[in-house]
Amino acid sequence: MNPKVSIVVVVDVIGALSDGTLRNGNLCMIDDGEQSTGQGTPELCTVVQPGQVVTWSALAVDLQTPVEIKSITFLDPDAEDGDAEAGDAAHAPERTEGAAGTGNAGARSERSGPGPERNGHAPGRHNPELEVWSGVVPHLAPGVAHQYRLEVQMYEGDHSTLHIASPALMCQ
């Protein structure tokens, strides 16, 4: 077992903002897992093992447009609408900059990170590509896809944050 699996979220920012959705080919997710399914789609199901570190990072198709992961929230598998957030925040990925953190992938995440100065740059020179969300996989029921809501921030403004609730982690 590789001790780490990396998930890259690639966003067509211009398409996503124009369409108002991360669907329609505006988002693809890939990982370096060996048995994952849905590679290149918003329905990526990453196969993981308890204790494995999972990292998420975001890239824009047009490298001059900013995109960053705003939050990762694991969903309640018993919810009828499939979009209800889990109530337990004990296993939450955390956001770090430039290196993997030590959070736990599992239930809910909140945005955290460096203060006003990031990576030696003033706030206006912030580089979202250096930000990584990471967590340690807790013991999860094997064979069950644990979906999460992925929220991305593109530029600023009322309609600059979009989300999907289709990707998942699944323990073997």
Side-chain angles (χ1 to χ4, degrees):
M1 169 184 88
N2 187 346
K4 179 179 166 184
V5 63
S6 298
I7 299 171
V8 178
V9 178
V10 181
V11 181
D12 176 355
V13 175
I14 304 301
L17 291 174
S18 295
D19 294 347
T21 182
L22 292 172
R23 300 270 179 203
N24 303 334
N26 295 324
L27 176 133
C28 78
M29 297 178 68
I30 53 175
D31 67 32
D32 59 1
E34 297 174 7
Q35 300 175 347
S36 301
T37 59
Q39 293 279 5
T41 73
E43 287 80 28
L44 177 68
C45 185
T46 303
V47 176
V48 294
Q49 297 289 328
Q52 195 171 31
V53 174
V54 180
T55 62
W56 290 264
S57 58
L59 294 172
V61 172
D62 173 2
L63 298 177
Q64 295 180 4
T65 56
V67 63
E68 64 183 282
I69 297 172
K70 184 173 181 179
S71 70
I72 298 170
T73 307
F74 282 79
L75 306 177
D76 183 352
D78 298 326
E80 291 182 24
D81 65 0
D83 199 27
E85 297 176 2
D88 178 15
H91 302 291
E94 66 181 32
R95 185 175 115 186
T96 60
E97 191 165 342
T102 58
N104 293 320
R108 181 182 168 92
S109 67
E110 296 297 330
R111 185 174 178 166
S112 63
E117 187 171 321
R118 299 171 185 243
N119 199 24
H121 296 288
R125 299 197 46 165
H126 156 223
N127 187 352
E129 286 80 26
L130 296 177
E131 294 177 349
V132 174
W133 284 72
S134 66
V136 177
V137 177
H139 289 283
L140 300 171
V144 176
H146 297 274
Q147 287 188 302
Y148 56 92
R149 175 184 163 136
L150 174 72
E151 189 173 23
V152 295
Q153 177 78 41
M154 300 160 286
Y155 294 105
E156 295 180 6
D158 293 339
H159 304 287
S160 63
T161 302
L162 298 172
H163 75 276
I164 57 167
S166 54
L169 298 183
M170 182 170 63
C171 282
Q172 292 182 320

